[in-house]
Amino acid sequence: MGNGKIALKFFGSGGEVGRNAILLRINAKNILLDSGVKKIGNREYLPENLDSIATKIDYIILSHAHLDHTGFLPFLYNNGCRAPIYLTRETAELTRLILEDSYMIRKKTNQKAPKPWKIYPYFRRISYYKLYELGNNLYFKAYPAGHIQGSACFVIGDGNDFIFYSGDYNTRDLRTQKKAVFPAENISLAITESTYGGKQDRLPSVSQRDKMFIRIIKETLDSGGDVLIPVFAVGRSQEIFSTLYAYYIAGEIDLNEYNVYFEGTMMEKATSIYNIYNNFSLSFLYDKEIGAFNRVDYRTRDKIMRNKQPKIIIATSGMISGGSSPEYLKYIASDSKNTLLFVGYQAEETVGRDILLGINPVRLDDVYVNIKCRVSSVSFSSHTYYPLTINFLRKIKPERVIVNHGTPEKAEQLAHGIEQLLDVDTILPKNQETVFVDI
Ligand SMILES: [Zn+2]
Ligand SMILES: [Zn+2]
């Protein structure tokens, strides 16, 4: 590239899933790649020492709206950061939603809560595929990452050679996301996530996934039980709605006989953002003629749940920690005809993880609940996984790869695979470590 040495300081995401916050020093400029926090149970872990250099950041590039990539932004601007934040328009909308929700939770739990709206004037909305100039002979471009609405992988460089930064990405076509797009530029260095970087990690194809999902739902409904699907508000719930609707339209599941109920303010707000910017619409949720999907709130919840007609309930949060999903679990847990159907990752110290570990009874707020219902899990992940990551990197031909955003074991296995199969040197950064690379 002729840039000589670049430096990358990892304030987070080294040997851990999330908390992406990487300071890239290139051509005498400081570019922060994401600014996330890590959530374990109700606790948030901030990137250490990042606020002390808040005023030295020249630009921020944001891959997508998830909290593990955006949650620290209000803290940075509270500490004097005034850098422009480059992000897609969908990421701008979803980031506002997610940060304001996080702000309310922080306030409720008496944690430090800098105001997220202070950062909005610094948003610079960008388009995919367009080359932007930062000055000092530095350019960047966003490519669709296929992870959630608005998610982007970035290339950053001098116009000839580039660094590729993946954020979180997915290399398969899903119902609500098209797969990540290969960058066209020469890539000297790639930074890739490794959430599913374990050598044995495989995810079901979309058709396998859907078949398992629908089979479990039909088995439960046909035997007179209810299905509770806890979902994440942004991304996962929209994929679930779209899947159910597709099978309903195909005549494979009768959603007039078995109604679908959904509850979650943030889920609805996120869905409306999907509706505006996507080339498909989830307006069927509110279509009275279709009549299959029904909105519930805390006032109508009890009446719905006392109705014995088998039903599907879709409620946030995805890990049954917060939101209305714990309330629904209290209704369905005691009956073996019912099914609790997980469709996403269950992080440490969440009720969802406890249930998957077989802990029984589980604690929901101040009550203990016995889990007698069936517990199933189908992965609707929108991440890449080991063989697909290797294939993606094979296509973009980086000279070197940094592996982040994964547990130490998964990051190491992916790095090993890249070295063996692609004959490319890899780097496994630790948090607080600065990595120097010649490019
Ligand atoms: Zn992430
Ligand atoms: Zn993500």
Side-chain angles (χ1 to χ4, degrees):
M1 194 190 269
N3 287 299
K5 259 193 177 26
I6 61 153
L8 291 139
K9 177 154 184 184
F10 286 79
F11 289 92
S13 82
E16 62 181 348
V17 177
R19 189 161 50 162
N20 278 31
I22 305 159
L23 191 72
L24 166 65
R25 175 91 181 152
I26 180 169
N27 289 12
K29 291 287 180 191
N30 290 319
I31 306 175
L32 185 67
L33 308 175
D34 286 337
S35 182
V37 299
K38 184 160 79 169
K39 247 188 140 167
I40 296 183
N42 287 324
R43 292 191 306 277
E44 269 181 6
Y45 292 84
L46 308 177
E48 281 168 35
N49 306 323
L50 182 55
D51 45 1
S52 66
I53 57 137
T55 56
K56 299 198 175 81
I57 298 165
D58 296 306
Y59 311 105
I60 296 179
I61 283 176
L62 220 58
S63 67
H64 66 290
H66 279 152
L67 207 58
D68 61 320
H69 298 255
T70 58
F72 196 65
L73 285 171
F75 292 85
L76 275 183
Y77 287 76
N78 204 32
N79 278 291
C81 178
R82 296 293 176 261
I85 302 167
Y86 296 99
L87 73 184
T88 64
R89 56 188 186 168
E90 298 97 316
T91 297
E93 298 291 331
L94 291 171
T95 297
R96 288 168 64 137
L97 191 63
I98 285 176
L99 290 183
E100 284 170 28
D101 181 64
S102 163
Y103 170 75
M104 296 305 288
I105 293 170
R106 291 189 143 270
K107 274 193 76 164
K108 254 192 235 161
T109 51
N110 295 319
Q111 298 178 73
K112 200 174 168 212
K115 298 175 179 71
W117 44 91
K118 292 265 168 81
I119 72 166
Y120 303 160
Y122 299 93
F123 282 179
R124 304 285 181 271
R125 289 162 178 79
I126 56 158
S127 304
Y128 291 120
Y129 304 117
K130 196 175 158 193
L131 194 67
Y132 292 87
E133 189 175 0
L134 290 172
N136 276 28
N137 197 30
L138 270 178
Y139 301 84
F140 74 92
K141 191 192 279 187
Y143 284 93
H147 177 58
I148 59 167
Q149 192 70 9
S151 60
C153 299
F154 283 91
V155 295
I156 305 147
D158 66 0
N160 294 315
D161 292 290
F162 288 84
I163 296 160
F164 172 81
Y165 171 61
S166 79
D168 292 350
Y169 66 124
N170 151 59
T171 53
R172 301 171 297 153
D173 281 338
L174 308 177
R175 289 186 184 276
T176 53
Q177 287 300 312
K178 288 261 173 272
K179 63 187 172 194
V181 174
F182 299 110
E185 287 74 15
N186 287 330
I187 305 298
S188 311
L189 171 72
I191 305 167
T192 182
E193 62 133 319
S194 56
T195 314
Y196 293 93
K199 199 173 176 195
Q200 306 303 328
D201 282 346
R202 298 292 181 277
L203 293 170
S205 69
V206 171
S207 74
Q208 285 171 331
R209 171 198 88 174
D210 288 358
K211 278 186 191 124
M212 272 191 276
F213 176 70
I214 296 295
R215 181 175 53 75
I216 293 165
I217 289 174
K218 280 170 86 169
E219 279 171 8
T220 306
L221 296 174
D222 290 345
S223 64
D226 294 341
V227 183
L228 170 61
I229 308 172
V231 288
F232 307 107
V234 179
R236 201 58 46 92
S237 57
Q238 291 77 26
E239 187 77 9
I240 294 295
F241 286 134
S242 302
T243 305
L244 280 172
Y245 184 60
Y247 277 79
Y248 169 59
I249 290 298
E252 296 195 35
I253 184 162
D254 185 354
L255 296 183
N256 290 318
E257 188 184 352
Y258 304 122
N259 271 312
V260 181
Y261 295 94
F262 61 93
E263 181 176 345
T265 313
M266 191 159 143
M267 172 167 78
E268 286 195 75
K269 285 184 184 166
T271 300
S272 69
I273 294 169
Y274 268 65
N275 281 346
I276 295 168
Y277 294 111
N278 223 321
N279 50 10
F280 65 89
S281 170
L282 289 105
S283 56
F284 58 81
L285 283 179
Y286 303 101
D287 192 324
K288 289 271 178 295
E289 264 176 47
I290 295 169
F293 296 87
N294 305 276
R295 190 172 177 276
V296 188
D297 62 29
Y298 68 95
R299 290 164 300 196
T300 47
R301 194 187 292 150
D302 190 59
K303 190 172 163 224
I304 300 288
M305 294 311 290
R306 286 182 190 285
N307 182 344
K308 291 283 170 252
Q309 179 70 2
K311 53 195 153 303
I312 301 165
I313 305 123
I314 298 170
T316 54
S317 65
M319 303 182 195
I320 324 185
S321 293
S324 60
S325 55
E327 298 307 316
Y328 286 102
L329 182 59
K330 289 175 192 166
Y331 284 103
I332 71 139
S334 60
D335 190 337
S336 62
K337 289 203 298 293
N338 297 333
T339 297
L340 169 62
L341 178 50
F342 289 113
V343 290
Y345 179 71
Q346 303 300 309
E348 296 160 62
E349 293 184 35
T350 60
V351 175
R353 172 68 73 95
D354 284 352
I355 293 173
L356 284 182
L357 289 173
I359 293 171
N360 206 359
V362 288
R363 191 176 162 178
L364 294 174
D365 305 321
D366 286 335
V367 294
Y368 282 89
V369 173
N370 257 307
I371 305 293
K372 292 186 190 149
C373 64
R374 174 181 175 187
V375 178
S376 296
S377 194
V378 177
S379 176
F380 273 70
S381 172
S382 59
H383 284 272
T384 178
Y385 59 91
Y386 182 94
L388 299 189
T389 308
I390 301 270
N391 280 346
F392 189 90
L393 294 170
R394 183 177 280 127
K395 277 259 170 60
I396 69 172
K397 297 191 180 72
E399 288 162 24
R400 201 163 304 171
V401 178
I402 292 177
V403 181
N404 75 332
H405 198 295
T407 61
E409 301 75 40
K410 303 225 181 211
E412 208 171 298
Q413 287 181 29
L414 180 61
H416 186 71
I418 293 166
E419 297 210 344
Q420 295 272 301
L421 299 165
L422 304 180
D423 197 20
V424 171
D425 285 344
T426 60
I427 300 164
L428 288 166
K430 292 192 177 66
N431 283 342
Q432 300 302 320
E433 187 185 353
T434 302
V435 173
F436 296 94
V437 185
D438 270 316
I439 54 172

